[in-house]
Amino acid sequence: MSDLDLLDSAPVADESKILEGLNDSQKEAVSSPLCNALIIAGAGTGKTRVLVSRIVYLISHYQVKARNILAVTFTNKAAKEMRERIGMYLNANDTHHLWANTFHSTCLRLLRAYATQAGLTPGFLILDTDGQNSLVKRIMLDLKMDIKEIKPSEFASRISSLKEKGMRADDFQKRVNYIKYTNKKKSGTIEKLALVYSAYERICNQENSVDFAEILLRTVELLRSNSAIREIQNERFKEILVDEFQDTNSIQYELLTLLAGKNSHVMVVGDDDQSIYSWRGADYTNMKKFLNTFPDVHQYLLSLNYRSTQNILDMANTLIEKNFERVMLKNLKGNNGTGSLVSIFKCANNRVEELSVAKEIQSLKDQGVKLSDIAVLYRNNYLSFGFEQALTKAKIPYVIYGGQKFFERAEIQSALAYLKILVNKKDDTALLRIINLPARKIGPKVVESLRNISNEHSCSIIEAIEYLHEYVSSSDAAKELKTLYSKVSAFYNLYLELLSKKETMRLHEFVHHMLTLTGLYAFYSEKDAKEGKSEEDNSRYKNLGVLVSNVKEFEASVDQGEVSVDSENSAKVEDQLTLYLTNITLVSGGEINENGSAETMPFDCVNLMTIHASKGLEFKYVFICGFESEILPSSRKSSSGDNSLEEERRLAYVGITRAKEQLVISYANARTMFGKNEQKGASSFINDIVESYENSKNKPYKIVTKI
């Protein structure tokens, strides 16, 4: 026996210590025989502890060598946590030889070892997202494609999606040719995509580089085509464990089948009730497929929840039982007591909802609750803005998790830039942002010429254009300056028209008019459409509508005396515009950074995030806002069929199960969008829950009317 074998076989932990503190279901899963296994682990049921304990148990009880174990998860953070927790039980050598990585890290490790066999040169480079976008842009320009019509980032994303489905450029070209042949008509976009994908694949091979999707696809192709290498991996990995299995896509599932040999065992852990990433290619049906693909699968159910009170769990259980496509029915039971009733805030409108939530958070803060223990969740990013304002007004610090603050979003910055040049024509920073947005053929050379004139005359760029406007009307005007003015005259006329209109319209009406006249509405609507976003999916277009609503609310606050203004000039639109821009600058300046830090702000902050971003997290106090018709479930998902509706229900379930001690669900009967009031009302999911308890004396919720 080698020294390595001696080290691998060394005792690592007392078996009783490994199982200590586990409940019966967890013990059964951890100590299961060497077999294929599917563990359905409900929210908050301790799946990470089960995975860690299982790995230690394999080494301690079954004497499986650490180097023969592969544990795969989805994020570097989860992989690191798993390794650290395993390290508390194992000796250093075992920890070193254990494969506990993300899917990408695992595949990259194999590609590094077998680069030549995979068609790569050792030392190949990895393209990050920016690099991928830059390469696609270069290809599109070489092919004389309009990168303003179709963004390179859109094509880069679609190429990644095709790779995740296992489709190479040649395969995609054949598919495009078939579509052309059967439909007898051309589809310009997919034909262009096929050309770009083909060139992209060729150049990546020439430059010996791989993108993230390529790492997975090339590893699958290597194992699929090279039986010798596949057999080595089959012999190496005796025990394979996969976390968050409901989030695997088709290429990841095939990878698993290729890595597992005849004498290997695979244990997958997941919860189909928390499958919310179908838009990223995740396929929760892989859990059912696993039962059919792998022989003699043992099934285990973890349903004892260590996170939430029973009232919260009852809300979650009642909601999710309406889903029919479930691998295994489960009813979460908790060990934290009944807890307080879940509050359902029935709000007259979104403004009432925002203020009510802020007031409730202020009350919690006054009771000594740490703000970091509080989370405000919402279906879409555009819903965050009102809560940002309400919390700012209440002087409650917050951090937006996994997203930008409202006024930092590109489309809002663009809209504000137009407004800024109307009150300060010396603001070249604002002007340079939008002089060619949307595109109006004012390229870098034109801008450089304008800047040269402004430097010569010590004036702003707008003043340089004014100078050109006056000069070209004279008979001795130079031809090149006339040509330069002809390229910027449309923008200058737009600027003059906006100056005129802002003096005759209410501020919110003017902002809406500006967004239409400048083409920002149309530009961002097209941008959303090209990226496959609807109004419900955090669209830029809808964010512009939220801006109009915010301006209207600002006007109302001025009229009600909530914002101080010079009474002599308060009726002037330009003065209100200046006041508005000043007000939002102060609000934005008081916000903390996305990472939660700021020199002048405390670290204890309320967490704002989408429900998607909250998966895997937990908070003592949770507010799920905008829980209403056409938002959750979204109108688009509701009309897409039962599968989409079930995923929306799973999304709501994930939100509810983030709460540990107190949960507030809120909805508005009316919501202001694009300056107009839209009638909303309670989500059908709320109605389902209320209907389920119609004749019950022990309801887990209470309805609180807010007006």
Side-chain angles (χ1 to χ4, degrees), residues 237-346:
F237 298 124
K238 301 295 187 184
E239 301 294 325
I240 301 174
L241 302 95
V242 184
D243 192 15
E244 302 288 2
F245 191 64
Q246 78 280 349
D247 293 334
T248 54
N249 58 28
S250 57
I251 202 76
Q252 289 162 340
Y253 188 87
E254 184 177 358
L255 174 68
L256 181 62
T257 63
L258 290 167
L259 288 174
K262 294 180 179 178
N263 298 316
S264 303
H265 303 111
V266 180
M267 175 179 280
V268 299
V269 184
D271 182 10
D272 52 320
D273 288 338
Q274 295 187 74
S275 179
I276 59 174
Y277 296 122
S278 65
W279 49 275
R280 286 196 322 210
D283 186 358
Y284 73 96
T285 63
N286 282 346
M287 301 182 80
K288 288 186 176 179
K289 191 186 299 182
F290 179 78
L291 294 173
N292 298 323
T293 304
F294 290 82
D296 302 321
V297 177
H298 291 220
Q299 298 184 56
Y300 302 94
L301 175 64
L302 305 181
S303 59
L304 180 59
N305 179 282
Y306 291 91
R307 176 186 299 158
S308 309
T309 62
Q310 194 59 50
N311 278 330
I312 293 171
L313 295 178
D314 286 346
M315 293 288 284
N317 290 331
T318 305
L319 171 73
I320 203 65
E321 69 183 13
K322 294 286 185 178
N323 275 10
F324 297 103
E325 293 293 325
R326 302 173 75 189
V327 177
M328 188 185 296
L329 300 182
K330 59 179 174 294
N331 197 51
L332 296 178
K333 294 295 181 181
N335 66 347
N336 292 314
T338 304
S340 58
L341 294 176
V342 173
S343 295
I344 299 177
F345 283 5
K346 176 183 177 181

Side-chain angles (χ1 to χ4, degrees), residues 2-10 12 55 59 64-71 83 86-87 90-101 106 109 233 236-239 241:
S2 68
D3 290 342
L4 184 58
D5 288 333
L6 284 170
L7 284 170
D8 275 339
S9 62
V12 291
I55 291 170
I59 297 171
V64 178
K65 295 179 177 62
R67 65 174 182 265
N68 295 136
I69 298 174
L70 170 64
R83 286 194 298 270
I86 292 171
L90 303 182
N91 60 47
N93 186 71
D94 282 323
T95 305
H96 175 73
H97 286 95
L98 179 72
W99 284 51
N101 302 296
T106 300
R109 191 168 173 179
Q233 309 318 311
R236 179 199 307 243
F237 298 124
K238 301 295 187 184
E239 301 294 325
L241 302 95

Side-chain angles (χ1 to χ4, degrees), residues 10-29:
V12 291
D14 185 286
E15 191 173 309
S16 62
K17 293 289 186 183
I18 300 172
L19 301 177
E20 186 177 344
L22 299 178
N23 64 46
D24 291 343
S25 297
Q26 291 173 330
K27 286 179 182 177
E28 186 181 9

Side-chain angles (χ1 to χ4, degrees), residues 413-414 416-421 424 426-435:
Q413 286 286 312
S414 299
L416 295 178
Y418 273 104
L419 298 177
K420 287 176 181 177
I421 63 171
N424 179 17
K426 294 185 180 294
D427 192 342
D428 281 355
T429 300
L431 179 98
L432 289 172
R433 182 183 182 92
I434 47 82
I435 193 170

Side-chain angles (χ1 to χ4, degrees), residues 496-663:
L496 293 177
E497 183 174 355
L498 289 173
L499 280 176
S500 173
K501 290 290 186 182
K502 81 179 182 69
E503 297 185 52
T504 61
M505 303 173 72
R506 290 276 291 171
L507 185 56
H508 79 277
E509 293 171 345
F510 169 70
V511 172
H512 176 73
H513 178 75
M514 177 275 292
L515 293 170
T516 303
L517 192 65
T518 60
L520 286 182
Y521 267 148
F523 173 75
Y524 283 113
S525 179
E526 291 172 4
K527 196 176 183 73
D528 289 334
K530 288 176 181 178
E531 294 179 7
K533 291 183 177 181
S534 71
E535 289 187 11
E536 289 82 16
D537 292 329
N538 309 324
S539 72
R540 300 174 181 88
Y541 173 76
K542 199 152 193 175
N543 284 336
L544 293 176
V546 173
L547 178 66
V548 175
S549 297
N550 175 252
V551 174
K552 186 175 183 180
E553 291 174 0
F554 171 80
E555 287 179 299
S557 65
V558 171
D559 294 340
Q560 295 166 12
E562 296 178 11
V563 177
S564 59
V565 63
D566 181 356
S567 59
E568 182 180 348
N569 297 314
S570 61
K572 292 186 177 180
V573 174
E574 60 266 38
D575 289 333
Q576 280 206 356
L577 177 55
T578 302
L579 186 63
Y580 176 72
L581 292 172
T582 301
N583 184 64
I584 62 173
T585 300
L586 292 173
V587 169
S588 299
E591 294 175 349
I592 59 177
N593 297 328
E594 285 188 44
N595 62 7
S597 64
E599 293 181 1
T600 58
M601 299 287 285
F603 286 97
D604 190 29
C605 306
V606 175
N607 302 276
L608 270 63
M609 68 189 76
T610 63
I611 303 175
H612 279 104
S614 75
K615 188 171 179 291
L617 303 176
E618 58 183 40
F619 304 91
K620 288 184 178 179
Y621 307 89
V622 170
F623 296 81
I624 308 179
C625 306
F627 211 119
E628 60 203 50
S629 174
E630 298 186 3
I631 294 179
L632 184 63
S634 75
S635 56
R636 182 170 62 90
K637 296 284 188 178
S638 297
S639 61
S640 300
D642 291 341
N643 288 339
S644 293
L645 184 60
E646 290 209 356
E647 178 154 339
E648 287 290 290
R649 192 176 281 112
R650 292 195 293 269
L651 184 62
Y653 175 84
V654 166
I656 289 173
T657 54
R658 298 313 93 195
K660 297 170 68 175
E661 296 181 10
Q662 288 186 23
L663 173 64

Side-chain angles (χ1 to χ4, degrees), residues 368-406:
V369 172
K370 290 175 59 178
L371 295 179
S372 59
D373 286 332
I374 303 172
V376 178
L377 311 182
Y378 32 81
R379 172 65 175 82
N380 302 304
N381 275 321
Y382 67 79
L383 293 169
S384 75
F385 178 50
F387 298 100
E388 293 177 47
Q389 284 203 311
L391 291 174
T392 298
K393 186 175 181 180
K395 298 181 179 179
I396 298 172
Y398 63 88
V399 59
I400 297 182
Y401 188 99
Q404 290 178 299
K405 302 178 182 70
F406 184 82

